[in-house]
Amino acid sequence: MAAPVGYLAGAAQSREVVVSRSVSPQAGRPEWPRGCFVGLGVLDLVHLVDRLPGPDEKVVSRDELVAAGGPAANAAVAFAWAGGRVTLVTALGRHPLGRAAAADLRACGVGLEDRAPWRADPPPAATILVTASTGERAVVSSTDRAFASAPPDRLAPVEIERLLDGAGVVLADGHHAALAVPLLATAHGRGIVTVLDAGTWRPAFEELIGLADVVIAGAAFRPPEVGEGAGAEAIVAALLARGAAAAARTAGPDPVLWRHREGGAGAIAVEGGPVVDTLGAGDVFHGIAAFLLAGSSRPSAERFEAALAEAARIATISCASFGTRAWLATPVDRPARASEVRCSSASRVTRPAPG
């Protein structure tokens, strides 16, 4: 395959995690990790504005972006940017807007498995207003109702086999559960590392969490058994109790809290940086973490911690530019292409796992 377009380098004075890559006997060159991501694909219309408009008011944007979006889609873009080969299982359809989203993803190096090629209606869409002075965003989305009456085609066993062939990691975002559950279940049973992006609680998580080796929850995520106002530690503990082998919770610039079932827990400091736009930063985090965990079967606590730290570093970099694509051109150090790449983790505070 072509040389990777992504860059992954670590901060100095920290421990290392090894990302193993097999060597192709035909080409005599290392093969980069393969991933299968399943979940939401939408078309995002993003505006950079000085302020949000009031009632009956029109504002003029400073900049705008039209691109594919959705948690799994943006994570797949980050995975491809890092040098991985990735297929996104989603539903976009044949409407011109769906084709535009598909073209954007392919341009970013993401392969597509469209499970609704027959769909003539527009795909799910989102309008996002990003406030220039803070990087904060306001989102209006149609994603929860777009496929209520016409769900995507289910996966046959032979199709699951094809999608998982050679995969080192499977990531799901909780959308399109009828596609995600059989993919994660099969991957989990075969020792392929499974990662769950838990942005907000969805009914599908009742089944998906138990199929995930790793669950990375966002600040808005709260399982129903955890009371309102509960801290991050309670949420991480609930994810482990539901069957995850390792769990973490991100919260913007706050430390990333993590815990591993086999021992070890900690809080990874998120290094500060310029903030222009936080849109998609969490998705970048998940894609980079999946890239670093690929091929590790059941990730160790050390590998999990180091992957989270590097994911936090790259996600922070993605916030320094507008939209979900400009960051891809950021000149971050590129590792040498070799059969092993050591990705150093950023600064962290580690403590023993609670008893």
Side-chain angles (χ1 to χ4, degrees):
M1 62 176 292
V5 298
Y7 318 98
L8 280 175
Q13 300 177 347
S14 54
R15 293 184 308 203
E16 295 179 326
V17 60
V18 176
V19 180
S20 300
R21 293 176 177 145
S22 60
V23 176
S24 167
Q26 291 83 5
R29 298 185 303 177
E31 293 180 350
W32 294 74
R34 287 194 60 185
C36 178
F37 288 22
V38 55
L40 190 62
V42 307
L43 188 72
D44 282 347
L45 175 58
V46 191
H47 287 284
L48 183 67
V49 297
D50 291 320
R51 59 181 179 82
L52 300 182
D56 297 322
E57 182 184 14
K58 180 188 294 185
V59 297
V60 177
S61 64
R62 290 188 182 187
D63 201 353
E64 60 279 324
L65 169 74
V66 179
N74 284 331
V77 169
F79 190 95
W81 172 89
R85 300 174 61 188
V86 60
T87 298
L88 174 66
V89 184
T90 189
L92 289 172
R94 58 188 176 87
H95 187 277
L97 294 180
R99 292 178 178 175
D104 174 65
L105 289 167
R106 292 191 179 102
C108 292
V110 176
L112 281 178
E113 175 78 15
D114 188 356
R115 302 306 298 174
W118 40 264
R119 181 182 172 89
D121 293 337
T127 300
I128 302 106
L129 302 181
V130 179
T131 302
S133 61
T134 64
E136 296 174 332
R137 62 196 186 274
V139 181
V140 179
S141 173
S142 64
T143 55
D144 285 337
R145 60 178 174 79
F147 287 95
S149 60
D153 296 336
R154 292 177 179 266
L155 290 164
V158 66
E159 293 173 310
I160 294 175
E161 294 289 333
R162 171 174 55 81
L163 290 167
L164 295 183
D165 183 25
V169 64
V170 176
L171 178 146
D173 65 9
H175 294 268
H176 297 314
L179 304 176
V181 169
L183 275 171
L184 258 69
T186 305
H188 189 69
R190 295 182 181 179
I192 301 171
V193 64
T194 50
V195 178
L196 188 60
D197 165 4
T200 56
W201 177 260
R202 307 181 65 82
F205 287 136
E206 292 283 2
E207 188 168 5
L208 289 172
I209 291 172
L211 299 174
D213 297 306
V214 169
V215 181
I216 303 174
F221 180 84
R222 182 176 59 84
E225 68 270 23
V226 178
E228 292 188 20
E233 291 193 7
I235 292 171
V236 168
L239 292 171
L240 295 181
R242 282 177 171 265
R249 181 180 182 270
T250 63
D254 295 335
V256 179
L257 190 77
W258 68 275
R259 185 175 174 183
H260 197 284
R261 179 181 298 279
E262 296 179 357
I268 300 170
V270 178
E271 297 182 1
V275 177
V276 174
D277 184 0
T278 60
L279 179 66
D283 307 333
V284 172
F285 187 106
H286 302 135
I288 299 301
F291 176 84
L292 292 170
L293 295 170
S296 59
S297 186
R298 304 294 183 258
S300 66
E302 183 178 16
R303 184 165 187 157
F304 181 51
E305 179 188 25
L308 294 174
E310 181 68 354
R313 190 182 73 84
I314 300 298
T316 298
I317 290 170
S318 76
C319 295
S321 55
F322 168 67
T324 54
R325 298 292 180 265
W327 74 272
L328 299 172
T330 303
V332 184
D333 294 339
R334 176 186 291 193
R337 189 172 184 190
S339 59
E340 290 183 345
V341 172
R342 288 177 169 83
C343 297
S344 301
S345 57
S347 60
R348 81 289 303 270
V349 178
T350 307
R351 62 183 184 282

